[in-house]
Amino acid sequence: MADQIQSERSADDMVAEADTGARNPSAAWQARLIIGTCIAWSVFQLYIASKLPGVLAQGTGMSIFANIVAQARFVHLAFAIMLATLAFPLFKSSPRDRIPAYDWVLVILGVGTCLYLVVFRFEIADRPGLWSTSDIAISAIGMVVLFISVYRSLGLPLVIIAGIFVSFAFFGGYSEWARNITNYGGASFGKALGHYWMQTEGVFGVALGVSTTMIFLFVLFGAILDRAGGGNWFIKVAVALLGALRGGPAKASVLSSMMTGMISGSSIANTVTTGTFTIPLMKRIGFPAEKAGAVEVASSTNGQLTPPVMGAAAFLMVEYVNIPYIDVIKHAFLPAVISYIALLYIVHLESLKMGLEGLKKPGRKINVLMILILFLSGVIFMGICTYLIIGLRMVLEPFMAETVYGAVVLLAVAYIGLVWVASRYPDVAMDDPNAPVPAAPRLTPTLIGGFYFALPIFALVWNLMVRTDTLERLSPALSAFWATMFMIVIALTHRPLKALFRGEGIGGSALDGWRDFVGGLILGARNMIGIGVATGAAGIIVGTISLTGAHQVIGQVIETIAGGNLMVLLILVAILSLILGMGLPTTANYIVVSSLMAPVIVSVGAQSGLIVPLIAVHMFVFYFGILADDTPPVGLAAYAAAAISRGDPIMTGVQGFAYDIRTALLPFLFIFNTDLLLIDVGPLKAVMVFFISLTAMLLFAAATQGYFIAKSRWYETVALLVIAFMLFRPDFLLDQVSEKYATAEGPAALTLMSEAETGKQVRLQVEGPDFDTGEIRPTTIALPALSGDTDTAFSDQGLTVLEEDGKLLLDEPFAGTPHFETLGKEYDFYGDTPVTITRVQVENDRFPKELFFIPALLLLGGIVMIQRPRATQPAF
């Protein structure tokens, strides 16, 4: 027990050092200052997300209430810098029990340089680009303080990376090679600093704006939910549902980490929150320390893949890819579900190999079939409820108009009813994982005892995703605001209400509820410190790119190394993401790598004839950024898990990465098979894609574990890999036996295009001189065909095609048309060498690629028949 307490303390210290700050001042006023600043930041974020600023501005005539929303980015970063300075010691030798004098100086400078942009906003607006001496001085001080804040809260790597980009802005113009690629001749000290600090193209750019308006609210929502007891309820429900199965605690770890990961932005905090309970249980049933920690690490890092929060990357993708939030969720959903089910299967195979059992459980044991029935019943029940609520909302529309009062009444009735039901059962309390005879709790009282915690999550997802003819979806920021307000009500009232229904005194319960609420405000703000300064520092990188075109230099280096081969390029980008992710938080890593490499991947793919959707590239980068959290030797989540398991952190990271190989496979698959991202996939096909992809991923997991029904021989492992490939990429096999495209060149290409069915995708291979280098290079674009009317098909896309000497010459696309970004800015349309359409491709009518599933499944049946006689224990 003493070892467990010590390990929990070590893990909590690691979370503090990495996420929330390790300083704990002994002076009461200093501690209260940190706590008060956290509370003030959370309240400020709720205030600007509400309608109060507008109401107060109209009621008082004071525009300051409305203007503060427009200036929120500056205040947001001021809070982040202040808390980073107060909560994180600058050096390992710096005092942790007090705030030294130099930190007070940094607080004043950091807050002052941010608020300078608020106080003097009108004067700054009157001199855009003509920065005064004070502007430049403030910018220089602000940049230095931001770098120091990043260093103390996130470490040196992001400081080094951002510093390299700043150096390029100042000195990149001296490199003739860089000038030839980017046409960047350098920037003066004042121009660069003003670009970074005085405008919204650098530090205060898109990333910090998303952090201000959306990320904070989702993190705060998760923090209040956890403080109120929702995180504990997730864990107990997972243990009640899966704990009695073979290797049950490990399976419960996967499920609980997925549920908490939906609303948590931190792999490390997720590891400690669920791992404190599940890791000791895994060790008790026979998991070695390293494997117990690795299961928790793989589960917790993958939590950031799960919508709706996705470690804050979902909201950044909305801005960078320029698609609606609901589309990001749709694209992310299937890979996340497949990844988690595959991890459950890996845990099951590990349990089979070690001959492990589950926890004891009172009452009837739930078997795998029953869990499947419950899952499908839950999905059907939620679907029925969704349509009933939509119908009810439409019926009440004339009475509710545009107000939210009807929805508030419905939620209030549901909440009070569920709390009343929960009061009939004991409170959901965390058991001691080191109890002499650990047992899984019963599902019914556990589920019902905290089911009201699901209401704010339901409200959040409802507002984000549900739309009728008369009811529009809310924005992510407004959805998070209302869900957070509902969660605050629950945190304040659920304990007193249960006490009231039980006939007990409510005074102590009301005080506990207030403590949960305040603790959630504090935890939410402290969890945002690293994200706040990271998005500011990432803005430096994005600002350098917009100022200098630095991404072209890095892109050309990696493109040259890859030799124009898309697969090699993807491997290099994956390695780059893993390396950067060892020292950067996931959000910052995603911003950096996607800004640098997303255009390169799309460009190289187009040159090799593969049109890669931008969302697929961003998801690719994001997945590998997440995997860095368990990649040795720096994966912090692995160190946190090892602190609890008392295992070796390096081996824990290695084993965790081995479990995550299936997650590393998915990004490569959905680059080449966008069906996995549900791009242009209907409902029925989506169901088929899910089951086939899930089967393939489970077989891949079995191959990597060397165990299917029995321990696999080498040729059986190879066969499982082949089957998985055939299920994942049937189009690759189809391409080997049947030409995918009908191809034509010159005038015949126009004839081929005119004969294509209306709406069918037509691929144009374009070739011409690169705008920057003048070298001839190809690319591929797609446009929908209009049967018999090629001129309209081209003009609808902003393209003008002229036939001359048997060639199809292409004019510069019109600004604002679909292909202006991909062609108009990449090719020199006014040089001596014209830009031409070298060939047109239209997809042939071929037999369905799904026919290749038949030999794959027959081969799978053969593996089952071979292995079944060797099976020494039941499969479940």
Side-chain angles (χ1 to χ4, degrees), residues 114 118 139 363 421 430 449 463 519 524 777 779 828 849:
C114 292
V118 178
S139 301
V421 173
M430 183 65 75
N463 287 329
R777 68 175 182 83
T779 192
D828 182 2
K849 63 183 180 181

Side-chain angles (χ1 to χ4, degrees), residues 629-703:
D629 278 345
D630 60 16
T631 304
V634 188
L636 294 179
Y639 279 85
I644 298 173
S645 69
R646 315 308 294 172
D648 180 81
I650 300 297
M651 292 307 300
T652 300
V654 171
Q655 186 65 59
F657 190 79
Y659 290 153
D660 267 343
I661 289 177
R662 94 253 176 242
T663 306
L665 175 69
L666 278 171
F668 288 96
L669 292 172
F670 57 59
I671 287 287
F672 294 98
N673 182 8
T674 56
D675 287 354
L676 284 169
L677 298 180
L678 300 182
I679 295 177
D680 298 327
V681 172
L684 291 179
K685 186 176 180 181
V687 173
M688 186 187 71
V689 169
F690 169 72
F691 283 107
I692 293 297
S693 301
L694 177 60
T695 302
M697 183 55 72
L698 296 182
L699 294 175
F700 178 80

Side-chain angles (χ1 to χ4, degrees), residues 353-613:
K353 289 191 289 185
M354 292 185 282
L356 304 181
E357 298 295 332
L359 298 176
K360 299 183 183 300
K361 183 176 182 178
R364 187 172 60 180
K365 183 177 178 180
I366 302 177
N367 56 33
V368 175
L369 180 60
M370 188 63 183
I371 290 173
L372 180 61
I373 293 173
L374 285 173
F375 174 76
L376 293 177
S377 300
V379 171
I380 295 171
F381 176 74
M382 290 179 66
I384 293 173
C385 288
T386 298
Y387 282 104
L388 285 176
I389 293 174
I390 292 175
L392 181 62
R393 178 66 174 88
M394 294 177 69
V395 170
L396 295 176
E397 184 70 25
F399 306 99
M400 293 172 60
E402 297 300 322
T403 69
V404 297
Y405 298 123
V408 170
V409 171
L410 289 175
L411 278 177
V413 170
Y415 168 57
I416 294 173
L418 288 173
V419 172
W420 178 81
V421 173
S423 68
R424 308 294 101 185
Y425 296 89
D427 288 336
V428 179
M430 183 65 75
D431 297 328
D432 181 7
N434 296 284
V437 184
R442 295 190 60 189
L443 178 60
T444 301
T446 304
L447 183 64
I448 295 177
F451 195 70
Y452 54 87
F453 285 122
L455 279 178
I457 300 176
F458 172 79
L460 173 65
V461 175
W462 168 269
N463 287 329
L464 286 170
M465 303 182 68
V466 175
R467 183 177 69 86
T468 67
D469 292 337
T470 55
L471 180 66
E472 291 294 326
R473 300 185 189 101
L474 297 184
S475 67
L478 202 53
S479 300
F481 170 75
W482 287 116
T484 303
M485 295 305 295
F486 186 23
M487 193 61 242
I488 290 173
V489 172
I490 292 177
L492 290 170
T493 62
H494 77 105
R495 297 183 195 276
L497 280 176
K498 282 196 285 189
L500 179 64
F501 291 140
R502 291 167 179 165
E504 303 171 351
I506 65 173
S509 299
L511 183 60
D512 289 340
W514 176 257
R515 288 170 178 163
D516 289 340
F517 165 57
V518 174
L521 294 180
I522 297 169
L523 181 62
R526 297 195 74 149
N527 286 342
M528 274 299 300
I529 297 172
I531 296 176
V533 296
T535 50
I540 295 174
I541 297 167
V542 177
T544 302
I545 291 172
S546 65
L547 178 67
T548 68
H551 66 290
Q552 297 177 9
V553 176
I554 298 175
Q556 180 161 336
V557 170
I558 294 195
E559 188 177 340
T560 301
I561 296 174
N565 185 298
L566 180 61
M567 180 58 72
V568 175
L569 176 65
L570 290 173
I571 293 173
L572 291 174
V573 172
I575 294 172
L576 176 65
S577 298
L578 290 174
I579 293 173
L580 290 179
M582 292 181 189
L584 299 183
T586 304
T587 306
N589 185 26
Y590 162 71
I591 295 171
V592 172
V593 181
S594 63
S595 300
L596 293 175
M597 299 311 305
V600 179
I601 295 175
V602 172
S603 176
V604 172
Q607 291 179 38
S608 60
L610 180 66
I611 300 174
V612 184

Side-chain angles (χ1 to χ4, degrees), residues 36-360:
T37 305
C38 289
I39 296 173
W41 193 10
S42 294
V43 171
F44 169 77
Q45 294 290 158
L46 289 172
Y47 167 73
I48 63 172
S50 71
K51 295 183 178 180
L52 276 177
V55 172
L56 292 175
Q58 291 178 356
T60 63
M62 299 176 65
S63 61
I64 185 174
F65 292 108
N67 287 335
I68 194 64
V69 178
Q71 311 300 318
R73 296 184 188 188
F74 311 126
V75 180
H76 181 83
L77 186 61
F79 272 116
I81 289 177
M82 181 175 178
L83 284 173
T85 306
L86 295 178
F88 289 87
L90 183 55
F91 305 108
K92 290 184 178 180
S93 59
S94 298
R96 280 161 169 70
D97 59 347
R98 62 183 176 84
I99 302 172
Y102 58 81
D103 278 347
W104 291 114
V105 174
L106 290 173
V107 166
I108 294 171
L109 292 176
V111 173
T113 53
C114 292
L115 298 187
Y116 175 88
L117 300 170
V118 178
V119 176
F120 298 101
R121 61 186 179 278
F122 298 117
E123 291 85 346
I124 293 171
D126 289 339
R127 52 173 186 265
L130 302 174
W131 313 121
S132 66
T133 303
S134 61
D135 291 341
I136 297 173
I138 288 293
S139 301
I141 295 171
M143 292 280 287
V144 170
V145 175
L146 176 60
F147 272 103
I148 294 173
S149 299
V150 171
Y151 167 72
R152 68 200 309 158
S153 58
L154 299 172
L156 199 57
L158 184 55
V159 175
I160 294 174
I161 294 168
I164 291 172
F165 278 84
V166 171
S167 299
F168 184 84
F170 288 135
F171 307 112
Y174 293 104
S175 169
E176 182 178 353
W177 174 66
R179 285 200 309 272
N180 291 336
I181 295 175
T182 64
N183 292 324
Y184 174 65
S188 66
F189 184 75
K191 178 183 176 182
L193 285 177
H195 182 82
Y196 287 130
W197 195 264
M198 306 305 294
Q199 302 178 153
T200 55
E201 296 183 27
V203 171
F204 301 99
V206 170
L208 190 66
V210 173
S211 176
T212 304
T213 57
M214 286 187 275
I215 297 175
F216 193 105
L217 291 172
F218 279 88
V219 172
L220 180 61
F221 171 77
I224 297 175
L225 177 63
D226 183 61
R227 282 292 185 179
N232 174 48
W233 178 67
F234 285 151
I235 297 172
K236 291 297 290 290
V237 168
V239 175
L241 187 63
L242 302 176
L245 299 178
R246 188 187 295 272
K251 293 173 180 174
S253 170
V254 175
L255 182 60
S256 60
S257 294
M258 182 189 75
M259 291 190 292
T260 56
M262 287 192 300
I263 55 173
S264 170
S266 170
S267 300
I268 304 169
N270 199 6
T271 297
V272 173
T273 300
T274 57
T276 298
F277 184 73
T278 58
I279 289 176
L281 287 182
M282 283 187 267
K283 292 178 65 178
R284 289 296 300 272
I285 66 168
F287 269 87
E290 285 75 17
K291 287 191 175 183
V295 168
E296 183 58 53
V297 167
S299 308
S300 297
T301 54
N302 284 184
Q304 293 185 69
L305 303 176
T306 313
V309 177
M310 295 173 59
F315 315 115
L316 291 164
M317 287 182 192
V318 169
E319 299 295 329
Y320 290 154
V321 186
N322 194 27
I323 61 176
Y325 176 83
I326 186 67
D327 287 347
V328 174
I329 299 304
K330 181 185 75 172
H331 298 320
F333 177 75
L334 197 60
V337 172
I338 290 174
S339 179
Y340 262 107
I341 295 177
L343 183 56
L344 280 171
Y345 185 57
I346 287 173
V347 166
H348 180 72
L349 293 178
E350 287 280 29
S351 303
L352 281 174
K353 289 191 289 185
M354 292 185 282
L356 304 181
E357 298 295 332
L359 298 176
K360 299 183 183 300

